[in-house]
Amino acid sequence: MKTTAVRVHAHGGVEQLRLEEIEVPSPTADEVQIQQKAVGLNFIDIYFRTGLYDAALPHGLGFEGAGVVAAVGSNVKHLKVGDRVAYGQSPLGAYAGVRNVPARQVVKLPDGIGFEEAAAMMLKGLTVQYLFRQTYRLEKGETILFHAAAGGVGLIACQWAKALGVNLIGTVSTDEKAALAKQYGAWETINYSRENVVERVLELTNGAKLPVVYDGVGKDTWETSLDCLRPRGLMVSYGNASGAVTGVNLGILAAKGSLYVTRPTVSTHTDTLEKMQAAADELFAHVLAGDIKIVIDQRYPLSEVAQAHTDLAARKTTGSTVLTLD
């Protein structure tokens, strides 16, 4: 079967994104073939396009999508042809009309969740699930800091924190983004373009600082995040939107209060079908209950993928972005 897909033959700018016709083989015994309806766009896609994250060339892009099962491998028991499905972890290559995905990474979609909603939330929602429920299991009444609170992951985090009874302080770059984060459940926001994040955290916590900071920004916020933690607090560095954190002197953790640091990934937390299903079930339950609404503020046809990447990199987007295939 032939399909249209985005391929990268050399790392670099958006000019490296090529729309090509490729051949999709029959699924192997442990795969399902998905006729995709929508694909999620994430900052990690930019890392793979530019080469910040290494992958053998040429390669596709994208990790999350939703659609209908077109074929199943002989070993697949939990899915059948015609099932509505979604995934938030996969080999590179979600930017495609049809693709094969390891079945252990694919879950059935509940009837109350649409394809675009699913494509917009799987990677981001599974990220918040492992951050809040596994990396550091949040408890009601705790106060936390979450960077980039008005982004796709951030708006899910704001809502999930509120559902848990957790006070989320979100950092944002504009007053408009602050209002958006508050609208979706942030307890307080800090506009880092004109406020000192550490000073505001001290004010908001009456000097106590925080047990955990969630940082998907990376290089630009590394020391600020550490300075917001109480002694023996946990720094969760889960992304590099501003560049990778490098050259870290571990002595700084001692100097700032015997701090802990972790660099987790969603793949480690969802590396079996059972773990993936459990995380997805918790996410779906919150969405179906209305605790979490998935905000899709940008839609681009697959043919406009270069513009989508440009806007995401320029911080022109809020909420989630999807690539449409119909």
Side-chain angles (χ1 to χ4, degrees):
M1 175 187 292
K2 290 190 182 297
T3 193
T4 301
V6 173
R7 302 283 287 167
V8 174
H9 291 263
H11 293 132
V14 295
E15 70 280 357
Q16 301 298 343
L17 297 168
R18 294 193 198 170
L19 215 57
E20 299 179 347
E21 191 174 81
I22 64 168
E23 187 71 34
V24 182
S26 297
T28 65
D30 296 308
E31 290 180 331
V32 293
Q33 188 170 94
I34 302 172
Q35 178 75 49
Q36 301 206 115
K37 301 296 185 183
V39 172
L41 186 74
N42 296 280
F43 225 97
I44 193 171
D45 303 346
I46 294 175
Y47 302 158
F48 277 99
R49 187 201 76 220
T50 60
L52 176 65
Y53 286 4
D54 192 38
L57 292 164
H59 60 73
L61 284 179
F63 292 96
E64 69 177 341
V68 177
V69 175
V72 297
S74 57
N75 293 339
V76 179
K77 307 300 182 194
H78 71 293
L79 298 169
K80 65 183 186 301
V81 173
D83 280 345
R84 300 170 68 255
V85 294
Y87 59 92
Q89 278 289 284
S90 74
L92 279 172
Y95 292 13
V98 177
R99 71 174 308 216
N100 297 330
V101 181
R104 65 177 178 80
Q105 297 175 321
V106 181
V107 295
K108 197 179 295 187
L109 259 187
D111 288 341
I113 298 176
F115 292 122
E116 288 190 2
E117 190 179 18
M121 79 178 185
M122 286 299 291
L123 180 54
K124 301 171 190 69
L126 292 172
T127 296
V128 178
Q129 194 281 335
Y130 88 75
L131 290 174
F132 283 7
R133 312 303 289 150
Q134 298 187 66
T135 301
Y136 181 99
R137 194 169 177 87
L138 291 173
E139 301 288 344
K140 183 177 181 179
E142 287 185 307
T143 301
I144 66 172
L145 183 68
F146 202 98
H147 288 292
V153 176
L155 291 183
I156 294 174
C158 288
Q159 296 173 82
W160 206 318
K162 187 174 182 180
L164 294 172
V166 169
N167 299 321
L168 182 146
I169 303 169
T171 69
V172 293
S173 59
T174 67
D175 290 341
E176 291 76 18
K177 289 186 176 183
L180 190 63
K182 290 287 285 283
Q183 178 186 341
Y184 282 89
W187 174 62
E188 289 289 352
T189 58
I190 302 172
N191 183 341
Y192 63 80
S193 63
R194 58 177 174 77
E195 295 180 284
N196 182 292
V197 174
V198 178
E199 288 177 5
R200 283 290 289 140
V201 165
L202 282 168
E203 290 172 12
L204 292 168
T205 61
N206 295 316
K209 296 190 179 182
L210 305 164
V212 61
V213 171
Y214 295 102
D215 190 334
V217 176
K219 177 171 62 73
D220 290 354
T221 49
W222 167 252
E223 289 227 25
T224 293
S225 294
L226 296 182
D227 286 337
C228 291
L229 287 165
R230 66 180 59 158
R232 300 183 66 197
L234 175 64
M235 165 64 165
V236 183
S237 177
Y238 71 93
N240 319 285
S242 68
V245 176
T246 58
V248 175
N249 172 9
L250 290 179
I252 198 172
L253 304 178
K256 292 182 183 294
S258 300
L259 302 178
Y260 295 89
V261 175
T262 185
R263 181 63 176 86
T265 66
V266 65
S267 59
T268 312
H269 293 78
T270 56
D271 58 354
T272 66
L273 175 60
E274 292 73 24
K275 291 178 187 175
M276 176 64 76
Q277 191 68 60
D281 285 348
E282 191 170 4
L283 171 62
F284 293 159
H286 278 297
V287 172
L288 292 171
D291 297 336
I292 296 174
K293 293 179 174 60
I294 305 305
V295 186
I296 304 173
D297 284 335
Q298 297 81 213
R299 290 172 173 83
Y300 302 83
L302 191 62
S303 59
E304 294 179 15
V305 63
Q307 188 62 54
H309 270 231
T310 298
D311 292 347
L312 183 63
R315 307 291 197 279
K316 291 182 179 178
T317 64
T318 54
S320 296
T321 302
V322 295
L323 301 172
T324 57
L325 293 154
D326 280 348

